[in-house]
Amino acid sequence: MGKLLVIADEGDSCIATSRGLQLAAKLGHDVEVVAFEYEPLDRIARKKSEQASLKRALLDRREEQVQARINKFKTPEQKVSLRVVWMEHIHSWVNRRASKVKFECVVKTGKQSGGLTYTSTDWHLLRETAAPVLITSENRWHKTKPVLAALDLGTRNRDKQALNGKILAYAKGLANTLGVELKIISAIEVPTLLADLDLVDPIAYTKEHREELMPHLKSLASTHDVSEKDFKTKRGPVDKVIVSYAARVRAQIVVLGTVARQGLSAAIIGNTAEEVLQHLRTDVLALKADE
């Protein structure tokens, strides 16, 4: 039995809490819910005693609020713990916690707030958190919709090939647990510049690359007991292919890979998972290659 770390929503929303508890119940996992509270109290009260009193009152109110949500959505047999943390930067605490406890995944409601020089909490978690990260959508979770595995079948990098196996295994396990169909998609991205200059025939390029990825596809199909016919490949930019296909099959969860990134490149360059999050209106479960 594993454990999920659920980040309680702010305000009146309870998407992550309800969905995290539902998923944990189906998977047979315990749940640790963490709720964050923070206010710059030095701007409100000068005395330390007054600040301490205000802090305690805010923490107690937050605990009561989130506990009521847990009581509403948990099943009688579920083991659910709650901690309320005074912290401004959520990702810092979550990353430290996930480095000490082996969570099956971290669950958080998504917020589309990243820019070129601003990195949202979601992006920090995707890049830095040791555990898989499930970014939940505000859209309703339909029980009959499939789980979609997004693979990079064309990669020759061994770590990324191993990640494909991890994604497929995780997605298949989710689909079996939820009792829904498994879908698999991979993009073949034609170099835009070469295509625009008529230096490459997109159709011929796609056909050639489909043949090149077949050994990896066959290996994955055999290892994970999946029919080769279940692997779909589409021509186009990776993020657009995933978003388009997810919408077409009406996936409830998309499982894909992401990469850890630090420094300046982390602030100004996204990766496929982050690009997909900007457009997808469903849950996204991101697994890291370096886990």
Side-chain angles (χ1 to χ4, degrees), residues 16-34:
T17 304
S18 61
R19 200 159 299 174
L21 290 171
Q22 290 174 36
L23 185 60
K26 287 183 175 292
L27 296 173
H29 296 324
D30 295 338
V31 181
E32 179 177 321
V33 179
V34 58

Side-chain angles (χ1 to χ4, degrees), residues 145-148 183 244-252:
K145 293 182 179 180
V147 172
L148 175 62
K183 298 285 187 178
S244 174
Y245 194 72
R248 177 182 169 186
V249 301
R250 303 188 60 155
Q252 62 173 297

Side-chain angles (χ1 to χ4, degrees), residues 127 163 166 258-260 288-291:
R127 294 164 178 162
L163 179 59
K166 186 186 298 185
T258 186
V259 296
K288 291 185 183 63
D290 56 348
E291 290 179 60

Side-chain angles (χ1 to χ4, degrees), residues 112 150 238-240 242-243 246 254 256 271-282 284:
Q112 297 178 323
V238 178
D239 58 314
K240 292 183 179 179
I242 295 173
V243 171
V254 176
L256 44 66
N271 61 42
T272 299
E274 293 157 6
E275 291 295 324
V276 168
L277 277 171
Q278 294 295 309
H279 306 288
L280 204 56
R281 296 296 180 266
T282 189
V284 176

Side-chain angles (χ1 to χ4, degrees), residues 75-132:
T75 60
E77 67 277 7
Q78 272 188 301
K79 292 183 179 179
V80 184
S81 63
L82 168 64
R83 60 172 66 199
V84 183
V85 179
W86 189 263
M87 177 70 67
E88 181 177 12
H89 300 296
I90 293 175
H91 66 275
S92 299
W93 187 94
V94 173
N95 291 342
R96 286 196 298 270
R97 184 66 178 158
S99 68
K100 296 177 182 178
V101 179
K102 185 175 177 57
F103 292 107
E104 297 301 318
C105 75
V106 174
V107 183
K108 181 186 178 298
T109 301
K111 290 188 176 180
Q112 297 178 323
S113 56
L116 285 176
T117 58
Y118 171 73
T119 306
S120 72
T121 298
D122 297 355
W123 288 24
H124 274 297
L125 295 177
L126 288 172
R127 294 164 178 162
E128 302 163 11
T129 305

